Amino acid sequence: MKPAVQKRLAIGAALAAVLLFLGANAHLLTVALRSQPDCRETAGAMPAMRSC
């Protein structure tokens, strides 16, 4: 395998790993915010439920 091809593959794999990492974190954030919508803090107010 030529060095140029190997370099492109390495850069592509690194880019794919970064995109996968960012996508997974965005998914986790979305799920966390949607799981308990009543418990979100709004402008420093107290939580809506005591269990929050």
Side-chain angles (χ1 to χ4, degrees):
M1 188 180 308
K2 293 183 179 180
V5 174
Q6 192 173 10
K7 184 178 179 180
R8 275 192 222 133
L9 283 174
I11 290 173
L15 196 61
V18 167
L19 289 174
L20 182 67
F21 179 77
L22 291 175
N25 281 330
H27 177 262
L28 287 174
L29 181 63
T30 302
V31 168
L33 290 176
R34 289 185 182 180
S35 66
Q36 293 184 350
D38 295 335
C39 292
R40 282 190 246 162
E41 186 177 338
T42 54
M46 295 296 288
M49 296 184 299
R50 188 158 229 227
S51 62
C52 298

